[in-house]
Amino acid sequence: MPQISDEVLEKLIKDYLALNMSVSGFAWQGGEPTLMGLEFYKKAVNLQKKYGRDGQAVSNALHTNGILLDEKWCEFLSEYQFLVGISLDGPEQYHDHYRLDRAGNGTFHRVMTAIETCRKHKVEFNILVLLNDKNVEAPDELFDFFMGQKIRYLQFIPCIEKDSVTGKIADFSITPKQYGNFLIRIFDRWYDYGHEKVSVRIFDSILNYIVHGRHTNCTFSHRCNDYIVIEHNGDAFCCDFFVDEQFRLGNVFETPIKKLFQSETKKKFSNERISIHNK
């Protein structure tokens, strides 16, 4: 897996913080971002301290499979108040169906240990559930499991991918009907359980729209312009789901970040959402 260089890291942090936004957010994703090692994130935080201005708030989020989160990791994540998204696809039989290590062993118990370590060190975390062809058929089992684990924050992410060989939708993907049926059942369970006890991101976004007229989930927003993605080599893209040449904005070494965000490609990408958006 290509790794971001020190030069790209410093350039990104320096130029982004120079925009002097009231809150500057960094979301670290991969592949698996913890493979960069803890020292990489210590370096990133030190650079944020170096280039941040007085009164400027900086937030960090990390999306991980959780396998490497040990005591040292969690001490660091807690100290600097990282928000951690941990991938957990349900009970062991569902999580381990696809999430195996290089030796072919399931990773469920290591993820559960990581969650307990996060709790021990008071690391803020939420659970990201990738809905595949197996667990999407078990909404009650998933809901009971997560409530039994006292999970307070949940995101359900539909898995829809193309087979790179055939070009057809991959077998492990889910259908729109499956996704709809899953959400209907989860909503019923969530409503009966008590919406104030647990946050389900998609339902929170819909309720926020009803009350305030604005979605908190970018999937439902009229425009897609909340962020840009910086790859390991400094290339910038519109969205982490569209890291394709047609959505390339430029490179941080060639174009200031502000101009990348304001580029015509970004504006076109954002505005195209209007034509497919529905309430």
Side-chain angles (χ1 to χ4, degrees):
M1 181 180 71
Q3 296 186 343
I4 188 171
S5 67
D6 290 346
E7 291 76 19
V8 172
L9 179 66
E10 184 162 8
K11 179 69 173 174
L12 165 62
I13 293 174
K14 179 181 179 181
D15 290 1
Y16 180 40
L17 294 185
L19 298 179
N20 203 26
M21 302 171 69
S22 58
V23 179
S24 301
F26 294 83
W28 306 97
Q29 301 188 55
E32 173 48 48
T34 59
L35 289 176
M36 290 298 296
L38 183 53
E39 291 304 315
F40 170 83
Y41 294 96
K42 290 181 178 179
K43 184 184 303 178
V45 168
N46 286 333
L47 288 170
Q48 291 168 353
K49 291 178 180 179
K50 177 179 178 180
Y51 292 112
R53 291 167 169 75
D54 290 343
Q56 185 176 17
V58 176
S59 68
N60 287 282
L62 181 76
H63 179 189
T64 175
N65 60 28
I67 293 175
L68 296 179
L69 296 186
D70 58 13
E71 298 284 342
K72 290 184 178 180
W73 267 100
C74 289
E75 287 172 2
F76 170 82
L77 296 171
S78 177
E79 179 180 0
Y80 291 102
Q81 300 179 16
F82 275 59
L83 174 62
V84 180
I86 300 177
S87 294
L88 178 63
D89 296 340
E92 183 174 0
Q93 68 269 29
Y94 295 110
H95 181 85
D96 282 353
H97 186 84
Y98 288 116
R99 294 190 183 272
L100 306 175
D101 62 19
R102 288 188 297 178
N105 300 313
T107 58
F108 174 81
H109 292 290
R110 278 177 278 177
V111 177
M112 296 305 296
T113 297
I115 289 172
E116 290 308 310
T117 307
C118 283
R119 284 175 166 154
K120 174 183 174 182
H121 292 279
K122 295 181 171 54
V123 176
E124 291 190 41
F125 70 91
N126 55 39
I127 295 299
L128 308 176
V129 186
L130 186 64
L131 294 176
N132 54 59
D133 62 316
K134 305 301 179 185
N135 61 5
V136 74
E137 299 292 347
D140 287 298
E141 287 182 70
L142 265 63
F143 190 85
D144 289 339
F145 168 73
F146 288 123
M147 296 309 98
Q149 295 297 324
K150 296 181 172 55
I151 300 300
R152 291 292 310 277
Y153 301 95
L154 279 167
Q155 294 184 41
F156 295 104
I157 304 169
C159 180
I160 305 173
E161 290 191 19
K162 286 185 177 181
D163 187 301
S164 59
V165 177
T166 65
K168 298 179 179 179
I169 298 298
D171 292 339
F172 52 77
S173 299
I174 65 173
T175 66
K177 184 177 181 179
Q178 285 178 313
Y179 187 42
N181 289 339
F182 179 89
L183 290 179
I184 289 169
R185 183 55 184 162
I186 288 292
F187 179 87
D188 290 341
R189 294 296 310 275
W190 171 75
Y191 185 83
D192 291 341
Y193 182 81
H195 63 272
E196 73 283 356
K197 298 178 183 178
V198 59
S199 165
V200 178
R201 187 185 184 196
I202 188 171
F203 302 151
D204 288 348
S205 185
I206 293 170
L207 286 173
N208 196 79
Y209 180 80
I210 293 172
V211 175
H212 300 294
R214 182 179 182 275
H215 278 290
T216 57
N217 187 339
C218 68
T219 303
F220 301 124
S221 297
H222 286 279
R223 289 181 170 84
C224 185
N225 58 359
D226 289 342
Y227 63 90
I228 61 174
V229 174
I230 307 298
E231 285 287 283
H232 66 280
N233 60 355
D235 281 350
F237 295 86
C238 295
C239 172
D240 53 312
F241 289 99
F242 296 93
V243 182
D244 300 311
E245 188 59 31
Q246 63 177 312
F247 302 114
R248 183 179 180 274
L249 304 175
N251 188 283
V252 294
F253 289 105
E254 300 167 356
T255 308
I257 284 182
K258 186 175 182 178
K259 288 189 176 181
L260 290 172
F261 193 84
Q262 296 174 340
S263 70
E264 289 303 314
T265 299
K266 179 65 174 175
K267 290 177 183 178
K268 181 181 178 182
F269 179 83
S270 174
N271 291 333
E272 282 182 348
R273 288 291 300 276
I274 299 174
S275 64
I276 62 172
H277 173 79
N278 64 73
K279 298 179 181 179

